[in-house]
Amino acid sequence: MAAPAAEQMRTTLRRSWQCNPGPCIPLGRDAWQVEINNGQFVGKWVPMHRRSGLEAGLCAAEHVDTFGVGAGMPVRAADGGLTVAAEDGAVALLHLVPGRPLRAADPLDRQWWGDTLGHAHRTLRQFTHPHLVKFDPAAVPHQGPHLDLESWLGPAVRHTVAAVRRIMVTDQLTYGVLHNDPQAAHFRLDPSTGAVGLVGWSGAGVGPLLADLAAAVLAAGGPAAADGLEDAYLRASRVPRDECEAALPALLCLRAALDAAGVAERIHADGGRLGDHAELTRLAGLYTQLSDAL
């Protein structure tokens, strides 16, 4: 199933948002930047089976945006809907959040990264939606040919899933709305104002807030490379430091194993992308370091 072409996106915007869009500039395979009435927006498409999840994420983004964190607030269609059906999928129109992506290697950017993620989590503490994806380690596939590509990978996935499930049962964790992909590229620093936004809420879910922190730390290169991010997060969020110290190591191991499984799945399917083999080797080393610290 393929995303619509740029001209199809413009047609959908004209028909359903009753506007006159300018050229649609691709922002990947399923998103476009478009100018409408001298304003900048993003058109987003997802397959139809992801429509309810997208709408839940759009509602979360709308909530975050009202608390001062630019999140790509949705623009409702002429009929009031968050999305419209188009090209075997669903299309949404979002406000473009200005600024540059954060840089994982920049110490100050890492502090903004953690602070913004923590603030977003705090603003969402009263937010609920029936279609938010539930964080469920038990649903992670434990078997598959891709997990046999590396001898450590299958056991790592099974071990870390079991460890996180035990923590979720035995420990009192802070739950809330998860962004689920808080990588540096989804944060936007506006140099003209100093404001930092967080976009890309289409996969939002609900679960232990530390799952997002673990994903952010891994995206920054691991604990040794993420200096400042964790402390900034804990200052801004409602997660106690002792909870972080007790539960984050297992969640980091799980995230490293799942990231490696995703890379292995691409390699098994079609040889993977450039750099995937090196990334799998890097994740193997990182997982070993993290699991040794448990």
Side-chain angles (χ1 to χ4, degrees):
M1 186 180 298
E7 190 54 40
Q8 293 170 309
M9 173 60 71
R10 294 181 73 243
T11 298
T12 298
L13 294 176
R14 282 196 298 267
R15 182 182 67 244
S16 298
W17 276 267
Q18 297 182 0
C19 62
N20 185 25
C24 289
I25 303 171
L27 298 173
R29 294 182 300 173
D30 55 10
W32 298 262
Q33 182 173 337
V34 56
E35 182 178 317
I36 303 174
N37 296 331
N38 296 319
Q40 297 297 320
F41 298 84
V42 173
K44 172 72 175 177
W45 177 91
V46 298
M48 190 57 73
H49 71 273
R50 290 182 52 200
R51 185 177 189 176
S52 61
L54 171 63
E55 292 191 346
L58 293 175
C59 289
E62 194 170 47
H63 186 90
V64 170
D65 210 294
T66 61
F67 281 86
V69 178
M73 181 178 283
V75 180
R76 293 183 179 266
D79 65 1
L82 285 165
T83 64
V84 300
E87 303 299 328
D88 297 321
V91 168
L93 183 65
L94 321 173
H95 287 275
L96 179 72
V97 177
R100 64 161 176 84
L102 293 184
R103 296 183 287 255
D106 187 307
L108 185 55
D109 277 21
R110 289 197 297 270
Q111 292 182 41
W112 282 325
W113 190 346
D115 178 78
T116 304
L117 180 61
H119 186 46
H121 281 172
R122 183 175 286 278
T123 65
L124 286 162
R125 64 188 181 275
Q126 301 297 331
F127 176 82
T128 61
H129 194 286
H131 296 300
L132 287 170
V133 178
K134 184 179 179 181
F135 178 85
D136 183 12
V140 173
H142 296 178
Q143 305 290 337
H146 64 291
L147 296 181
D148 297 328
L149 285 181
E150 298 277 343
S151 61
W152 67 275
L153 186 51
V157 170
R158 292 186 285 273
H159 174 73
T160 56
V161 163
V164 171
R165 289 182 68 189
R166 283 195 299 271
I167 289 173
M168 291 174 66
V169 171
T170 60
D171 291 15
Q172 289 190 341
L173 302 181
T174 306
Y175 282 71
V177 177
L178 302 173
H179 181 276
N180 273 331
D181 192 17
Q183 58 178 292
H186 281 148
F187 292 78
R188 295 287 185 273
L189 169 63
D190 186 350
S192 65
T193 64
V196 183
L198 174 55
V199 301
W201 289 88
S202 61
V206 62
L209 295 181
L210 287 176
D212 258 1
L213 178 59
V217 169
L218 262 292
D227 181 50
L229 193 161
E230 182 180 325
D231 283 342
Y233 173 81
L234 291 174
R235 287 193 297 269
S237 78
R238 55 194 179 93
V239 176
R241 185 171 294 274
D242 58 352
E243 177 186 331
C244 182
E245 292 172 351
L248 185 61
L251 286 160
L252 284 169
C253 284
L254 176 62
R255 175 51 56 187
L258 294 183
D259 286 354
V263 175
E265 189 169 17
R266 289 198 301 268
I267 293 173
H268 180 266
D270 56 14
R273 302 194 294 251
L274 183 66
D276 271 350
H277 287 277
E279 176 65 2
L280 192 55
T281 300
R282 185 189 74 83
L283 287 167
L286 183 57
Y287 175 81
T288 298
Q289 295 173 15
L290 292 169
S291 59
D292 285 347
L294 282 178

